[in-house]
Amino acid sequence: MAEDVRGGDIRYPDVVIDRESPVPLYFQVASRLQQQIESGEMPVGSRLENEIELADRLGVSRPTMRRAISYLVERGMLVRKRGVGTQIVHPKVRRPVELTSLHDDLLKSGQEPRTVVREARVVAAPDDVAQALGIPFGADVTWIERLRYAGDEPLALMHNAVPTSVLEIDPEALERRGLYDLLRAGGHAPRMAKQVVGARTATSAEARLLGEQRGAAVLTMTRTAWDEAGRAVEYGSHVYRASLYSFELNLTT
């Protein structure tokens, strides 16, 4: 059983294994446990049994169980702590790669977005930003820096440029609402975008703001979005904590 460190025990959910399926057994086990963690049936803070006992309970081999646990550790849902064991932690924010805002995605996933606007001022667009937006070099944009939280955890450091000819940005409104919400309200709902996702290590300043160690892994995303009329409405360059965040793609043939 999983031990709830806040008191009492919880029961492991039934994990149905289809041994005829082409899906690897470890992935079947990990996916089912992930569902239970995300739904709250296996609460944050509870501890797992050791791998041998858990493998016996679920009817799989120890290497299969070890690989399933490692998969969930890599996805930020479990953490191994010396002297404590394997513990359930807050699951990562998994964001589908589609034209949505982080603010909207957090709300849909039942989390509480909170925003601190660190900077919002009108500047001459840097050449690379102007080129991405397709506006004249030096044209006025509102340059925005925000720190986005999921609950009490800092999650992303976000930089955006919005042409002043598209929308005047109210920093107070931006702390209450997402940027895309303001663009929609202003008649410039994003409809198309070019997006690039990458990864690197955090700078000292980024690590300090995001509550990470210097050199921690971060995910990056740059995006240019256009409205229905084909007008560029925003350029974004964002950094996300890899320990709490991932991008999710659904692929079909």
Side-chain angles (χ1 to χ4, degrees):
M1 298 178 69
E3 179 185 350
D4 189 336
V5 297
R6 295 165 299 184
D9 292 330
I10 61 172
R11 294 185 59 83
Y12 277 111
D14 293 333
V15 178
V16 179
I17 303 298
D18 182 357
R19 299 184 185 275
E20 302 299 322
S21 171
V23 178
L25 292 180
Y26 88 89
F27 190 79
Q28 293 185 47
V29 172
S31 296
R32 181 58 176 152
L33 294 178
Q34 176 177 317
Q35 292 172 6
Q36 298 297 323
I37 292 170
E38 291 180 335
S39 70
E41 292 181 51
M42 297 178 67
V44 171
S46 59
R47 293 194 296 265
L48 300 187
E49 291 175 282
N50 66 53
E51 291 176 0
I52 297 176
E53 293 174 342
L54 189 52
D56 288 344
R57 186 181 299 280
L58 300 182
V60 296
S61 68
R62 185 179 179 186
T64 294
M65 194 68 243
R66 183 186 303 118
R67 192 170 180 188
I69 290 175
S70 295
Y71 175 85
L72 293 175
V73 169
E74 292 170 0
R75 292 179 71 81
M77 296 190 163
L78 300 177
V79 63
R80 292 187 173 102
K81 295 184 177 180
R82 187 181 300 275
V84 175
T86 303
Q87 193 170 22
I88 298 171
V89 294
H90 290 282
K92 285 187 178 183
V93 175
R94 292 185 297 149
R95 183 178 184 183
V97 179
E98 56 188 33
L99 190 50
T100 58
S101 71
L102 177 56
H103 184 275
D104 293 343
D105 290 335
L106 288 171
L107 286 175
K108 287 179 183 178
S109 67
Q111 302 198 53
E112 295 183 17
R114 181 168 64 88
T115 303
V116 174
V117 177
R118 292 173 46 81
E119 181 181 5
R121 59 190 178 94
V122 175
V123 301
D127 289 354
D128 59 333
V129 173
Q131 184 173 0
L133 291 169
I135 60 177
F137 293 127
D140 285 346
V141 297
T142 302
W143 181 254
I144 306 160
E145 179 180 294
R146 293 170 292 165
L147 189 58
R148 174 64 48 76
Y149 290 77
D152 295 326
E153 287 279 359
L155 180 64
L157 182 62
M158 312 169 73
H159 294 91
N160 293 85
V162 178
T164 55
S165 58
V166 170
L167 186 70
E168 292 186 8
I169 301 295
D170 178 358
E172 292 186 3
L174 195 57
E175 290 201 341
R176 299 191 307 271
R177 303 163 63 183
L179 177 58
Y180 276 23
D181 191 19
L182 296 180
L183 286 168
R184 288 191 292 264
H188 295 286
R191 297 298 185 192
M192 301 170 287
K194 177 182 178 181
Q195 179 169 289
V196 178
V197 175
R200 58 175 173 80
T201 57
T203 66
S204 297
E206 290 167 345
R208 175 174 51 80
L209 289 170
L210 293 172
E212 290 281 6
Q213 296 291 327
R214 181 180 179 181
V218 293
L219 298 174
T220 64
M221 185 268 282
T222 59
R223 174 191 282 181
T224 304
W226 293 267
D227 64 13
E228 196 168 46
R231 183 178 189 180
V233 295
E234 69 102 11
Y235 169 82
S237 177
H238 303 165
V239 176
Y240 305 87
R241 295 175 66 180
S243 61
L244 296 177
Y245 189 89
S246 64
F247 290 99
E248 183 176 88
L249 297 90
N250 294 314
L251 306 177
T252 58
T253 59

